[in-house]
Amino acid sequence: MSERDMSLHRHTPRLGRLVIYTILILAAVFYLTPLYVIVITSIKSLQAIHLGNLLSIPLHPTLQPWREAWSSACSGATCQGVQVYFWNSVHLVIPAVLISTAFGAVNGYVLTQWRFRGSDLFFTLLLIGTFIPFQMVLLPMAWVLGKIHLQNSIAGLVMVHVIYGLAFTTLFFRNFYITIPRELVKAAMIDGAGFFTIFWRIMLPVSTPIFMVTIIWQFTQIWNDFLFGVVFTSGAIHPITVALNNLVNTSTGVRRYNVDMAAALIAALPTLLVYLIAGKYFVRGLTAGSVKG
Amino acid sequence: MSAAYEDASRSGIGNRLQRLLPKLVLSPTFLAAVFFLYGFIVWTIWLSLTRSTLLPSNTWAGLAQYRYLFDNGIWWTSLINLGIFGVLYIGLSMAIGLFLAILLDQRIRGEAIFRVVYLYPMALSLIVTGVAWKWMLNPGLGVQQLVRDLGFTHFSFNWLINPQMAIYTLVIAAVWQSSGFVMALFLAGLRGVDDAVIKAAMIDGASLPRIYWSVVIPSLRPTFFSALILLTGLAIKSFDLIMAMTGGGPGFATYLPANFMYDFAFQRGQIAMGAASAVMMLIAVGLLVGPFILLESRRKSDV
């Protein structure tokens, strides 16, 4: 926040400020409406949905749609709710985030403090990799996963997410560690500290913020991924995003909109919570991930 | 610490290991990038030059797949759709994002709350976004019905199932999802603008809109670049939102290249054509985003 605000904005006339606040509030309503609609729809009975309208408050709120979404709703031919897929995503996201973040941290450390001939070129190649549409790797990856018998498995999906997350995690840590003076590391080397000692004793203690950013970024990316999930898994191995899509777009039977909305909220809750609890790091991750090199 | 030091100094092997360690640590990522990224790109390009259908085949087909691709009406539909979607999505996200950022920059009470509200859609997956908007735009129970209930019984808003209009429903949802993020980018940029310049303009008697238009916005060039690059990439890769909201339909009315690629490569057993469409996506990203990155990096090294 800068100093300019006081002098600059004191001059805005009162009517102008009224207009500004009105626009800001209307915008807030626009952004919030879909969330409001899915929340209230998820606690309405089907009857209430057909009798009322999109915005009407449920007179007899019920958690039945949530129970159904969690444990008995049908997606495709199976009717076990989204819970299996929710846990799939949990089992996928934890190792994938931890492994890719750990690699990113040591990679960033090497690329800033142990530079060698070609290390900058390597970083550039990795950076370009963040722009490449994943459609370019889907076919070969499907073949490779088949060859190493990891097709349609959480382990295979973890591998895919680790590999294609490395460029981002390395980028984050590299941009953070570049601010740590190399003299500090050189001095430690003269004192006899080795590669990992320096990492543990000098780099890690100051790294909490960048770990937060990277973990949150990777968590959201992997949790929200649909493309890898839909291409590399099928049936009971689907992550939650794919299961939700199948649930909502199943063509058979009566559309249970309230169950659909409850399932959508279940799929959204983890990342929404992360955003509400650690929004500051989430935003920093977004802006850092947006090519600031 | 001292143990490692003694080890290292006692034996030449330990010493050499210490010197090798950085490269050793980097090597898994290096190998992954070489094989899984650049190797796969070459592999996909190769596939696009073969006769592969349901299974990969090594029979050379030259540029035949690209000819088939551009003879294919669905591909053209998806390109035109991408044009419409991309221009509107990028344009509206930038305009709304910049506008909200400028308003929020006016020493607003409750700024933090507004920011949280504008930005939260970005935390949601595009599948959830698609599901939410599909529900809201459902002609039977969504916005159309809501307005009819208010007494406007002939009100019609059935874009979602109207082949001519369905693509615009995707724009609404996509802009809803990412304009708050563009706002955050621009707000960060605005906060970095040098105060002295603005104060000088104010002393000259320039009005606030005038200052923004001719002083502040031009100085946000790097932010415009970042936002543009990012949104362009997102538009070309758009896939999830379409899958959840329209499934590409009605008919092929909302098909985008990413849907085409998925469909031909993994549903219709046309691997080579799927690969060719992926290569076209790569070329598009390269042509649209590449020059910006080059320009940016050159500008940065000039400074």
Side-chain angles (χ1 to χ4, degrees), chain A residues 4 24 31 107 125 136 249, chain B residues 38 44 118 120 134 179 190:
Chain A
R4 86 176 126 99
L24 287 175
Y31 286 104
N107 286 347
L125 286 178
M136 282 303 284
N249 291 318
Chain B
Y38 290 96
T44 300
Y118 297 163
Y120 87 90
K134 184 184 183 157
S179 50
L190 286 171

Side-chain angles (χ1 to χ4, degrees), chain B residues 84-125:
Chain B
I84 300 172
F85 172 79
V87 168
L88 288 174
Y89 164 64
I90 295 169
L92 286 173
S93 295
M94 298 269 268
I96 294 173
L98 178 62
F99 183 58
L100 289 177
I102 289 175
L103 293 190
L104 271 190
D105 195 34
Q106 309 303 314
R107 212 159 54 91
I108 292 302
R109 222 173 282 161
E111 184 200 312
I113 297 169
F114 282 119
R115 263 186 301 155
V116 168
V117 169
Y118 297 163
L119 200 57
Y120 87 90
M122 196 69 191
L124 302 177
S125 68

Side-chain angles (χ1 to χ4, degrees), chain A residues 1-12 17 20-21 23-25 27-28 30-35 37-38 41 49-50 52-55 103 106-107 110-111 114 116 119 122 124-126 128-144 159 163-164 166 170 188 191-197 201 220 223-227 230-231 241 244-245 248-249 257 260-261 264 267-268 271-272 275-276 282-283 286-287 289-293, chain B residues 1 4-5 18 21-23 25-26 28-30 32-33 35-38 40-41 43-45 47 56 96 99-100 103-109 111 114-128 131-136 138 141-143 145-146 149 172 175-176 179-181 184-185 188 190-193 195 198-199 202 208 211-212 226 229-230 236-237 239-240 243-245 258 261-262 265-266 271 274-275 278-279 281-282 285 289 293 300:
Chain A
M1 192 63 212
S2 57
E3 301 288 317
R4 86 176 126 99
D5 41 20
M6 286 300 179
S7 56
L8 181 59
H9 304 299
R10 205 187 320 144
H11 296 270
T12 326
R17 299 203 59 83
I20 290 175
Y21 276 102
I23 296 172
L24 287 175
I25 289 167
F30 169 70
Y31 286 104
L32 281 174
T33 303
L35 184 63
V37 168
I38 36 182
T41 308
I49 288 175
H50 286 283
N53 66 41
L54 205 59
L55 303 177
F103 271 106
V106 283
N107 286 347
V110 171
L111 288 174
W114 298 82
F116 51 87
S119 66
F122 170 66
T124 309
L125 286 178
L126 210 56
I128 293 171
T130 59
F131 291 101
I132 288 161
F134 285 139
Q135 278 77 13
M136 282 303 284
V137 302
L138 294 177
L139 285 162
M141 185 54 109
W143 191 85
V144 167
M159 185 184 108
I163 289 171
Y164 297 110
L166 284 177
T170 303
D191 287 347
F195 180 82
F196 280 112
T197 315
R201 297 275 179 90
T220 347
W223 186 274
N224 286 344
D225 163 73
F226 177 75
L227 184 63
V230 78
V231 170
T241 46
L244 172 65
N245 183 56
V248 172
N249 291 318
Y257 300 107
D260 290 355
M261 293 308 122
T271 50
L272 265 187
Y275 173 63
L276 289 177
F282 176 77
V283 177
L286 282 178
T287 41
S290 69
V291 210
K292 307 239 292 205
Chain B
M1 184 159 155
Y5 169 56
Q18 278 292 340
L21 255 179
K23 289 179 191 175
V25 161
L26 215 53
T29 308
F30 178 73
F35 181 70
F36 290 103
L37 201 58
Y38 290 96
F40 277 14
I41 290 170
W43 193 336
T44 300
I45 294 173
L47 278 174
I96 294 173
F99 183 58
L100 289 177
L103 293 190
L104 271 190
D105 195 34
Q106 309 303 314
R107 212 159 54 91
I108 292 302
R109 222 173 282 161
E111 184 200 312
F114 282 119
R115 263 186 301 155
V116 168
V117 169
Y118 297 163
L119 200 57
Y120 87 90
M122 196 69 191
L124 302 177
S125 68
L126 285 163
I127 295 293
V128 170
V131 168
W133 279 94
K134 184 184 183 157
W135 168 235
M136 305 237 311
N138 173 329
L141 295 157
V143 173
Q145 193 56 41
L146 176 72
D149 285 355
I172 298 175
V175 168
W176 176 81
S179 50
F181 161 56
L185 278 181
L190 286 171
R191 296 282 148 88
V193 174
D195 302 338
I198 294 167
K199 284 209 177 105
M202 287 192 65
L208 201 58
I211 294 176
Y212 270 99
S226 302
I229 289 172
L230 206 85
I236 293 174
K237 290 183 270 187
F239 173 66
D240 320 20
M243 290 296 276
M245 251 177 104
M261 191 275 161
Y262 172 73
F266 297 101
I271 286 184
V279 173
M281 291 175 68
L282 178 72
V285 171
V289 172
I293 300 172
K300 226 168 251 171

Side-chain angles (χ1 to χ4, degrees), chain A residues 74-77 245-256 260, chain B residues 134:
Chain A
C74 303
S75 88
N245 183 56
N246 289 345
L247 179 83
V248 172
N249 291 318
T250 301
S251 46
T252 49
V254 182
R255 286 253 51 85
R256 305 186 69 79
D260 290 355
Chain B
K134 184 184 183 157

Side-chain angles (χ1 to χ4, degrees), chain A:
Chain A
M1 192 63 212
S2 57
E3 301 288 317
R4 86 176 126 99
D5 41 20
M6 286 300 179
S7 56
L8 181 59
H9 304 299
R10 205 187 320 144
H11 296 270
T12 326
R14 182 164 293 179
L15 181 69
R17 299 203 59 83
L18 192 69
V19 172
I20 290 175
Y21 276 102
T22 310
I23 296 172
L24 287 175
I25 289 167
L26 284 177
V29 170
F30 169 70
Y31 286 104
L32 281 174
T33 303
L35 184 63
Y36 167 78
V37 168
I38 36 182
V39 170
I40 59 158
T41 308
S42 78
I43 52 173
K44 283 180 184 171
S45 66
L46 267 185
Q47 199 194 8
I49 288 175
H50 286 283
L51 287 176
N53 66 41
L54 205 59
L55 303 177
S56 58
I57 293 161
L59 296 174
H60 307 285
T62 166
L63 283 179
Q64 187 56 32
W66 281 75
R67 277 191 288 270
E68 243 180 86
W70 181 249
S71 53
S72 69
C74 303
S75 88
T78 50
C79 296
Q80 46 186 3
V82 295
Q83 60 172 321
V84 177
Y85 312 103
F86 183 90
W87 293 121
N88 282 348
S89 279
V90 172
H91 292 148
L92 159 70
V93 83
I94 293 173
V97 168
L98 293 182
I99 297 169
S100 59
T101 305
F103 271 106
V106 283
N107 286 347
Y109 167 52
V110 171
L111 288 174
T112 54
Q113 309 296 337
W114 298 82
R115 277 148 69 173
F116 51 87
R117 257 166 60 93
S119 66
D120 282 341
L121 176 71
F122 170 66
F123 179 65
T124 309
L125 286 178
L126 210 56
L127 206 61
I128 293 171
T130 59
F131 291 101
I132 288 161
F134 285 139
Q135 278 77 13
M136 282 303 284
V137 302
L138 294 177
L139 285 162
M141 185 54 109
W143 191 85
V144 167
L145 286 175
K147 279 288 153 193
I148 56 176
H149 300 293
L150 283 180
Q151 78 272 46
N152 200 23
S153 72
I154 299 291
L157 212 48
V158 169
M159 185 184 108
V160 173
H161 278 294
V162 167
I163 289 171
Y164 297 110
L166 284 177
F168 285 99
T169 59
T170 303
L171 167 75
F172 286 145
F173 280 97
R174 186 258 181 201
N175 286 356
F176 182 79
Y177 285 151
I178 199 96
T179 59
I180 293 177
R182 284 172 87 183
E183 288 69 33
L184 206 66
V185 171
K186 290 216 176 94
M189 279 164 75
I190 292 165
D191 287 347
F195 180 82
F196 280 112
T197 315
I198 295 172
F199 184 63
W200 282 113
R201 297 275 179 90
I202 297 177
M203 309 302 274
L204 275 190
V206 298
S207 304
T208 314
I210 196 61
F211 266 97
M212 293 288 290
V213 169
T214 310
I215 287 172
I216 289 170
W217 167 270
Q218 282 296 88
F219 180 85
T220 347
Q221 292 299 308
I222 298 170
W223 186 274
N224 286 344
D225 163 73
F226 177 75
L227 184 63
F228 289 147
V230 78
V231 170
F232 299 131
T233 65
S234 61
I237 312 296
H238 280 324
I240 184 85
T241 46
V242 182
L244 172 65
N245 183 56
N246 289 345
L247 179 83
V248 172
N249 291 318
T250 301
S251 46
T252 49
V254 182
R255 286 253 51 85
R256 305 186 69 79
Y257 300 107
N258 48 2
V259 176
D260 290 355
M261 293 308 122
L265 280 172
I266 292 171
L269 272 179
T271 50
L272 265 187
L273 278 181
V274 163
Y275 173 63
L276 289 177
I277 295 167
K280 174 173 82 167
Y281 297 104
F282 176 77
V283 177
R284 231 178 270 166
L286 282 178
T287 41
S290 69
V291 210
K292 307 239 292 205

Side-chain angles (χ1 to χ4, degrees), chain B residues 128-299:
Chain B
V128 170
T129 302
V131 168
W133 279 94
K134 184 184 183 157
W135 168 235
M136 305 237 311
L137 298 171
N138 173 329
L141 295 157
V143 173
Q144 175 175 297
Q145 193 56 41
L146 176 72
V147 178
R148 284 184 183 178
D149 285 355
L150 291 173
F152 305 92
T153 44
H154 295 292
F155 176 79
S156 164
F157 186 63
N158 61 351
W159 287 9
L160 193 65
I161 53 165
N162 178 339
Q164 255 81 56
M165 303 308 283
I167 189 86
Y168 301 102
T169 63
L170 296 177
V171 175
I172 298 175
V175 168
W176 176 81
Q177 208 253 355
S178 40
S179 50
F181 161 56
V182 180
M183 179 279 302
L185 278 181
F186 276 121
L187 194 58
L190 286 171
R191 296 282 148 88
V193 174
D194 189 5
D195 302 338
V197 186
I198 294 167
K199 284 209 177 105
M202 287 192 65
I203 291 165
D204 287 348
S207 69
L208 201 58
R210 171 102 223 178
I211 294 176
Y212 270 99
W213 185 250
S214 47
V215 180
V216 180
I217 292 178
S219 69
L220 291 179
R221 217 182 74 142
T223 317
F224 273 99
F225 271 127
S226 302
L228 196 65
I229 289 172
L230 206 85
L231 292 171
T232 307
L234 286 177
I236 293 174
K237 290 183 270 187
S238 279
F239 173 66
D240 320 20
L241 187 68
I242 291 90
M243 290 296 276
M245 251 177 104
T246 63
F252 296 105
T254 54
Y255 241 60
L256 293 192
N259 300 81
F260 183 97
M261 191 275 161
Y262 172 73
D263 205 15
F264 278 76
F266 297 101
Q267 305 289 313
R268 303 187 183 204
Q270 297 280 338
I271 286 184
M273 184 139 42
S277 66
V279 173
M280 295 315 298
M281 291 175 68
L282 178 72
I283 292 174
V285 171
L287 285 181
L288 290 172
V289 172
F292 285 125
I293 300 172
L294 261 171
L295 222 80
E296 264 306 82
S297 63
R298 191 158 309 156
R299 210 178 54 87

